[in-house]
Amino acid sequence: MDISLAHVDYRYQVNTPFERLAIQDVSIDIPAGTYMAIIGHTGSGKSTVLQHLNGLLVPTEGTVTIGNREIKANQKNKGLRQVRQKVGIVFQFPEHQLFEETVEKDIMFGPMNFGVSETEAKERARHALVQVGLSETILTKSPFDLSGGQMRRVAIAGVLAMEPDVIVLDEPTAGLDPRGRKEIMDMFYQLHQERGLSTILVTHSMEDAAMYADQIVIMQQGKVVKKGTPVEIFSSPAELVQMGLDVPEVVRFQLKLEEKWGHKFKQIYLSIEQLSAAVAEVLERGGTS
Ligand SMILES: Nc1ncnc2c1ncn2[C@@H]1O[C@H](COP(=O)(O)OP(=O)(O)O)[C@@H](O)[C@H]1O
Ligand SMILES: [Mg+2]
């Protein structure tokens, strides 16, 4: 399912003293199957953009197209439920939204709300739980008896059980330890590939953006300031630093090497494997001179 935003503005709390233009003239294309990372400072409008991807927010100006559904400013936009089923959002700290007595009921809630039978919802709950790397034995437990990491996974299972075509992740690893982060990110990447999903990830981790995304969008003060592939984006590290953003560690290492050796590599490398191969090539040639 293709998604696009065309010249979208969004204002919060219109006609109140708290009115705020949160995003401005945002245009983003997300063809089916894309893995897109959105990066930018806190308050730059990332979460506001995400909420347009499944009709939770309706633009104040501009058009959002989700599959064959158009959502436009200043018109009645009915029947957004179907869209919400196709585009699953994992909000920040999704475990805060767990509320049922058991893990099973919590995961079943979404599908049943969309008319899936109880038998089918139970089956989906089991399947989703395994997908997020948890054991079926916790289905009967209270979500509130689980560890923080397990609660996060149960909440994610609830989104997967809807069987969405598009999955939207708002800083899904915030607050997890490094191992938990990697496990969750690898899991989403595997799902992305196996199911041919579109994945839209908001992250503060330049490593994750470099490693997983096909396309990166940078937001600043409510506007899209740059779009491109990871190699395109990280090939101008000075620009990122000027925006107060990081570059991946492997890029910083390459820049230091280039400075020390006075030798520029052919391109920016985004993995240790690629960079070490390039370094080995230089050494085999007998150095940089
Ligand atoms: N419910 C709201 N009411 C008013 N302003 C809001 C609301 N939510 C977000 N904003 C404002 O909109 C801007 C963009 O916020 P947000 O999309 O949450 O950014 P990000 O996810 O990049 O941190 C910020 O200035 C924020 O203060
Ligand atoms: Mg946010």
Side-chain angles (χ1 to χ4, degrees):
M1 198 165 65
D2 300 344
I3 300 186
S4 74
L5 273 66
H7 305 292
V8 170
D9 288 4
Y10 187 78
R11 286 178 191 276
Y12 284 103
Q13 316 204 38
V14 176
N15 296 329
T16 76
F18 309 103
E19 178 166 335
R20 169 143 201 137
L21 179 60
I23 58 173
Q24 199 178 353
D25 197 23
V26 168
S27 297
I28 300 176
D29 286 316
I30 311 168
T34 305
Y35 195 129
M36 177 174 281
I38 304 181
I39 59 183
H41 286 292
T42 303
S44 60
K46 304 179 300 295
S47 296
T48 304
V49 166
L50 292 190
Q51 290 172 79
H52 283 80
L53 301 177
N54 79 342
L56 270 181
L57 295 180
V58 169
T60 313
E61 286 298 332
T63 307
V64 177
T65 311
I66 304 169
N68 51 20
R69 186 64 218 265
E70 266 197 356
I71 304 172
K72 277 191 192 290
N74 309 312
Q75 68 168 34
K76 285 234 185 309
N77 290 288
K78 283 192 182 163
L80 294 178
R81 261 171 72 86
Q82 269 185 348
V83 165
R84 294 197 185 124
Q85 185 179 3
K86 292 282 166 216
V87 183
I89 301 196
V90 176
F91 288 101
Q92 271 176 295
F93 302 102
E95 59 275 20
H96 294 169
Q97 287 162 29
L98 297 172
F99 68 101
E100 289 277 8
E101 292 153 45
T102 67
V103 166
E104 183 176 50
K105 282 188 186 169
D106 221 301
I107 303 176
M108 286 166 68
F109 179 82
M112 288 192 63
N113 205 19
F114 279 95
V116 167
S117 74
E118 189 169 349
T119 325
E120 161 90 18
K122 269 190 200 272
E123 190 44 47
R124 286 198 193 183
R126 213 166 300 277
H127 186 62
L129 205 60
V130 173
Q131 276 187 326
V132 298
L134 293 176
S135 150
E136 288 183 26
T137 58
I138 68 161
L139 280 170
T140 52
K141 286 199 181 170
S142 160
F144 305 103
D145 290 338
L146 304 176
S147 73
Q150 288 174 321
M151 284 170 78
R152 174 84 47 104
R153 285 167 194 256
V154 167
I156 292 169
V159 174
L160 298 181
M162 302 287 291
E163 301 189 340
D165 293 336
V166 178
I167 189 150
V168 175
L169 307 168
D170 199 348
E171 300 184 33
T173 60
L176 299 181
D177 61 27
R179 203 176 110 207
R181 300 175 81 104
K182 182 162 185 339
E183 283 174 2
I184 297 256
M185 290 313 301
D186 285 346
M187 177 198 81
F188 282 124
Y189 192 59
Q190 200 183 341
L191 276 169
H192 174 83
Q193 292 196 304
E194 283 174 2
R195 295 220 203 147
L197 301 176
S198 304
T199 304
I200 299 99
L201 167 74
V202 163
T203 183
H204 279 113
S205 162
M206 298 302 143
E207 268 70 26
D208 287 350
M211 181 147 47
Y212 299 106
D214 313 315
Q215 285 291 320
I216 298 179
V217 167
I218 305 181
M219 298 208 49
Q220 203 174 25
Q221 297 180 341
K223 293 186 182 156
V224 171
V225 291
K226 203 165 179 187
K227 300 181 219 183
T229 64
V231 169
E232 285 164 356
I233 294 287
F234 294 117
S235 291
S236 319
E239 204 180 335
L240 290 168
V241 170
Q242 204 181 18
M243 289 189 241
L245 296 170
D246 279 335
V247 292
E249 186 133 63
V250 59
V251 174
R252 262 183 284 150
F253 183 61
Q254 177 172 341
L255 295 174
K256 273 272 173 251
L257 267 183
E258 288 181 348
E259 191 186 309
K260 285 228 182 276
W261 283 357
H263 165 85
K264 267 214 178 284
F265 290 90
K266 285 191 287 262
Q267 64 162 94
I268 284 284
Y269 299 102
L270 296 180
S271 75
I272 305 250
E273 288 72 23
Q274 288 174 344
L275 179 58
S276 38
V279 169
E281 197 193 302
V282 170
L283 295 178
E284 275 158 22
R285 274 208 321 262
T288 55
S289 51

